[in-house]
Every structure is written in C-alpha cells, then in structure tokens.
Amino acid sequence: MQFWKDTIDSIFKGNPPQQPIALALAESLKHTQMSSMWFKRIITERTTNLEDHQFMTLQEIESYSENTASSLLYLQLESLGIRNVQADHAISHIGKMMGITTFLRSFVFHLSRKRCVLPAEITAKYNLSQEEMFRQGHVQGIEDAIFEMATAANDQLLTARSMLPSVPREAFPVLLCAIPHVRYLEALERVNFNIFEPTLQKKDWKLPLVLWNANRKQCI
C-alpha cells in the first residue's frame, strides 16, 4: 500500500511514475480537479483492513464503506466538476449502501474461504457460529442476520432518495452507481433473504434497461 501512497504523492506533484494507472490518472488530472485526499483515504482504509478481519459492528462496516465506496463516488463528482454539499450528503449514504450490499453479495464467496463478513454483533445477536457456517453454509438464523444487514443498506438508500430533489441534475450519472446494488437488494428480498439462493449469483440481464430508465426518470 505504501507504493500507492507514494504514487499518489508523485502524481499530484506532477511527476507520475512510468506505470499505466499512474500515467492515466496524471492525464485525467489535466482535465479535472480531483483531490488527493480521497485517494489517500481509500488507501488508508484498505491498509487498516488488509487482513480482512471480522468487523465488530455494523457501524464499522458503514465507516469502512464511507471511506472506500463513498470516497470513489466523491472522486467521480469532482471529475464532473461538481462540488455541492447536497450531492455530497446523498453520495455519502449511497456509498454506505453500496458497501454493505457489496459485503452481502460476496458473503457466499468469503464463507467458502472461511471468512465471515457479517459483523460480530449480528452473529452474536442471532447465535450464529462461524465454524458452523464454514462447515454447513446455511444455518438457522442466517436469514434474520442477512435481513438486518439488508435493512441497514436499505435505510441508507431511503435517506439518499429523500435528498434527490436538492441534488444537482448534473450529479445524477454518479448516483446511477447505486442501481446494481438496489437491484441486488430487491432480488434478495424476493428470495426471503436466502443468501445462498443460486439466482442471486446470475447476471442481471435487465440492468442496462433499468439504468437507462433510471437516468430518464432521474430516480434510483
């Protein structure tokens, strides 16, 4: 991670290393005014969580999501030349929703690698044993735990939606990043929060149409 910190510093000093990503970012900075702060925030958060330890609380997951997913969205806003407090507030909540949903989407994969992405407070609340989940996968109480996580993500989405009327129209392309995650939450609800349902792993062939329609209606 130190490599990326040094790379970001070099890029913003106008002396990018001869590396494809660094050169592409340096070129983009000629046309946009992105802040190094957001890049460093992402790197710092990932450095803290390199070992992929289990989060203790849902609030820790939200904080992680704010520092990673939301930071990427802030950069997208800046790349469009948008600096707006209302847009920032909406993006903050969308990033948290995306982060929580990403953990849900990757739950089955991580479980197969003997990693649990559910926070400890939720596994304790529903008496979920990591060892039993690693061995059996589907255990009693797992749907309740997944429901609680999905509810937290949906609460962030509802808050972001309530802010849409005050968000500049020019910022909407960034907000569209929420749509694939919204679609996943809807699909998860349809299968009664059975995270192991095979249909959840299938590609969403309707997504391009849904994105087009969301952009047309300016809604997420």
Side-chain angles (χ1 to χ4, degrees), residues 1-9 39-52 64 68:
M1 285 299 183
Q2 187 60 47
F3 166 80
W4 288 111
K5 288 183 178 179
D6 295 340
T7 296
I8 293 299
D9 287 336
F39 290 102
K40 292 180 179 179
R41 191 177 179 187
I42 295 169
I43 295 169
T44 299
E45 186 66 30
R46 285 300 298 136
T47 301
T48 304
N49 291 278
L50 275 179
E51 296 181 359
D52 291 322
Y64 174 86
T68 53

Side-chain angles (χ1 to χ4, degrees), residues 15-52:
N15 186 32
Q18 297 302 299
Q19 193 261 2
I21 295 176
L23 293 173
L25 180 55
E27 181 64 26
S28 69
L29 289 176
K30 296 178 182 178
H31 312 286
T32 62
Q33 293 184 338
M34 292 186 287
S35 305
S36 63
M37 171 182 67
W38 303 123
F39 290 102
K40 292 180 179 179
R41 191 177 179 187
I42 295 169
I43 295 169
T44 299
E45 186 66 30
R46 285 300 298 136
T47 301
T48 304
N49 291 278
L50 275 179
E51 296 181 359
D52 291 322

Side-chain angles (χ1 to χ4, degrees), residues 3-152:
F3 166 80
W4 288 111
K5 288 183 178 179
D6 295 340
T7 296
I8 293 299
D9 287 336
S10 297
I11 290 170
F12 278 85
K13 290 177 181 177
N15 186 32
Q18 297 302 299
Q19 193 261 2
I21 295 176
L23 293 173
L25 180 55
E27 181 64 26
S28 69
L29 289 176
K30 296 178 182 178
H31 312 286
T32 62
Q33 293 184 338
M34 292 186 287
S35 305
S36 63
M37 171 182 67
W38 303 123
F39 290 102
K40 292 180 179 179
R41 191 177 179 187
I42 295 169
I43 295 169
T44 299
E45 186 66 30
R46 285 300 298 136
T47 301
T48 304
N49 291 278
L50 275 179
E51 296 181 359
D52 291 322
H53 63 275
Q54 183 183 20
F55 291 99
M56 298 305 295
T57 66
L58 187 54
Q59 187 175 2
E60 286 186 5
I61 289 183
E62 290 179 350
S63 177
Y64 174 86
S65 302
E66 167 69 21
N67 290 331
T68 53
S70 295
S71 292
L72 283 171
L73 298 179
Y74 295 140
L75 285 167
Q76 290 183 45
L77 283 178
E78 289 185 343
S79 72
L80 295 175
I82 300 170
R83 294 181 183 272
N84 178 274
V85 174
Q86 295 302 322
D88 287 346
H89 285 169
I91 285 298
S92 174
H93 291 287
I94 286 177
K96 291 175 184 176
M97 181 274 292
M98 290 170 58
I100 296 171
T101 307
T102 298
F103 280 114
L104 287 173
R105 295 178 72 168
S106 64
F107 176 81
V108 176
F109 169 80
H110 283 296
L111 205 62
S112 70
R113 300 297 189 275
K114 298 190 181 302
R115 293 191 296 264
C116 181
V117 297
L118 295 177
E121 68 173 359
I122 289 182
T123 56
K125 180 177 180 180
Y126 296 102
N127 296 315
L128 298 175
S129 164
Q130 286 195 32
E131 289 304 318
E132 286 185 7
M133 287 191 291
F134 294 156
R135 290 197 306 266
Q136 304 174 32
H138 192 287
V139 295
Q140 184 176 0
I142 190 68
E143 283 89 353
D144 293 331
I146 296 300
F147 171 76
E148 184 160 337
M149 285 273 287
T151 298

